[in-house]
Amino acid sequence: QISGLATGLREGGLSASDARRAGYTAAQMLDAGYDRAEVGASLADLKAGGMTAAQAYDAGYTPAQMAQVGYAPAGGTNSIGGVLASQKAGGMTAAQAAAKGFSPAALTAAAYTPEEITAGLAERRQGGDCTAQQAKDQGYSAAQLIKSGYSKAEVGGTLGDLKAGGVTAKEA
């Protein structure tokens, strides 16, 4: 309701600074179509002001930026995983989600299966889009890397780590 009013005012020529003086929050201003640069608030400020995870993603913030300011990877609709669940419902694959920066924890929270997660990582590996080190940095386990087709030398995980992650002796 309020964002709709702000949209009308923006379309009528209300500047971002005038909208701020009128009491609109940064989140409302972004919803109304103001540019992030015009709004001038950090994501942490926007989150503190009530910006939901979906609004942050729609405004162009990456999952990594969202995680840095405290949006949880899992925990319902107002989480990174919740955002991803709605993207999954729209047809986003695990590989597409990972390429957009969603972590393995967010993929799990969005109900991708372990097989979909490792197949998505394998697809990215085959396409040359993700090295073993990049996958590790994104939060993939040694077991997930092995199951996605990375070599033991690339992964560098101990046998204990691999066994704990469900890798069989034959796979290792």
Side-chain angles (χ1 to χ4, degrees):
Q1 194 78 315
I2 291 175
S3 291
L5 177 60
T7 300
L9 293 172
R10 182 187 55 79
E11 290 170 354
L14 183 69
S15 71
S17 59
D18 288 341
R20 265 192 303 281
R21 280 194 290 276
Y24 291 101
T25 67
Q28 290 167 335
M29 291 170 61
L30 286 172
D31 278 348
Y34 287 94
D35 185 86
R36 279 185 2 199
E38 290 177 295
V39 172
S42 71
L43 182 54
D45 293 337
L46 294 170
K47 183 180 185 294
M51 179 177 263
T52 66
Q55 290 169 324
Y57 186 74
D58 290 345
Y61 291 99
T62 67
Q65 290 169 321
M66 294 167 61
Q68 286 175 345
V69 299
Y71 288 100
T77 56
N78 193 28
S79 69
I80 298 168
V83 169
L84 182 53
S86 69
Q87 296 296 310
K88 180 183 179 192
M92 184 179 280
T93 67
Q96 292 167 331
K100 289 191 176 281
F102 287 98
S103 70
L107 289 164
T108 300
Y112 287 96
T113 66
E115 293 78 18
E116 289 173 309
I117 294 169
T118 56
L121 181 56
E123 183 180 320
R124 292 179 60 220
R125 181 191 61 78
Q126 290 167 351
D129 297 333
C130 191
T131 67
Q133 188 58 54
Q134 288 169 325
K136 289 179 205 176
D137 292 345
Q138 293 166 5
Y140 288 92
S141 69
Q144 288 171 315
L145 270 75
I146 291 289
K147 288 181 178 186
S148 297
Y150 291 93
S151 71
K152 288 179 283 187
E154 291 174 296
V155 174
T158 67
L159 287 176
D161 292 339
L162 297 175
K163 183 179 178 187
V167 174
T168 66
K170 186 175 182 177
E171 291 172 318

